[in-house]
Amino acid sequence: TYTASTTHTVSGLRTFQTLLGPGTPFENPNFPDGIARVLRSGSFSPSGAVKVYSGPTASVTVVYLSEASTGIGHSGVDTVAQIYPVDEYGNKQDYVAFPSDDLVATVTINALYTLPITLTPRFDASTIPVSTSLTATFKPVETGKYKVEVSFLRPDGTRKTAGSAFQIDVAPGTSSPE
């Protein structure tokens, strides 16, 4: 009787096949032609697939788009960021095995008040399993200093901030002639 086990650190679809032999013809007389055989035994399947899901969220990458990436914004113009939660091995989050990390984004305006930022999930069907990122969008309504923070809930119940707060200097928006 043999027992095999694996530890997966990369999410995705993993296939396997169980082979027996051969070594070399001189090492294993059961395989004199040197060809390995696919193991078949009763209802045991000699090959198969395992779908490996991501672990709990361990880190978050935030990518600011357009002018926000330079730390500049304008009142009345959307500020957009893509948020990519990953597990401890860097796998994109799929939220199957660990369905909730209570990811939250907030913006503090001129150090006076803090507001939540709406997060919209985006699904990447090109990955197996389908991974999830989030789009954070807010529209500054006044000029000044904006501080954006993203945090998530760890499996142990503690809240972790993703990196350090991102500062955006918001200037007056340009008015359009009507």
Side-chain angles (χ1 to χ4, degrees):
T1 301
Y2 294 94
T3 302
S5 66
T6 61
T7 301
H8 299 277
T9 58
V10 178
S11 62
L13 188 61
R14 303 288 170 252
T15 57
F16 62 92
Q17 187 174 43
T18 307
L19 299 175
L20 187 60
T24 67
F26 302 107
E27 293 171 348
N28 191 337
N30 295 315
F31 300 94
D33 58 2
I35 298 172
R37 303 297 192 270
V38 174
L39 181 62
R40 296 189 189 280
S41 172
S43 62
F44 174 76
S45 173
S47 61
V50 175
K51 192 179 281 189
V52 180
Y53 298 103
S54 62
T57 300
S59 180
V60 174
T61 300
V62 181
V63 177
Y64 292 89
L65 307 177
S66 292
E67 65 181 4
S69 66
T70 64
I72 297 171
H74 287 91
S75 60
V77 178
D78 282 348
T79 298
V80 182
Q82 278 302 121
I83 300 171
Y84 300 94
V86 296
D87 69 8
E88 69 178 303
Y89 299 105
N91 297 302
K92 293 177 182 176
Q93 189 55 262
D94 53 52
Y95 295 112
V96 175
F98 296 90
S100 178
D101 56 17
D102 191 31
L103 200 133
V104 174
T106 60
V107 59
T108 301
I109 302 163
N110 293 321
L112 297 175
Y113 54 96
T114 301
L115 298 173
I117 298 174
T118 301
L119 300 176
T120 305
R122 294 180 50 169
F123 303 101
D124 182 358
S126 71
T127 63
I128 298 175
V130 174
S131 62
T132 304
S133 64
L134 300 129
T135 302
T137 305
F138 69 95
K139 187 177 294 207
V141 294
E142 59 188 78
T143 61
K145 303 259 184 220
Y146 284 60
K147 181 175 78 170
V148 179
E149 291 184 297
V150 177
S151 65
F152 61 93
L153 196 61
R154 295 188 214 182
D156 67 4
T158 60
R159 184 154 287 283
K160 180 178 181 184
T161 300
S164 57
F166 188 75
Q167 185 84 29
I168 299 174
D169 293 320
V170 175
T174 56
S175 60
S176 59
E178 293 188 29

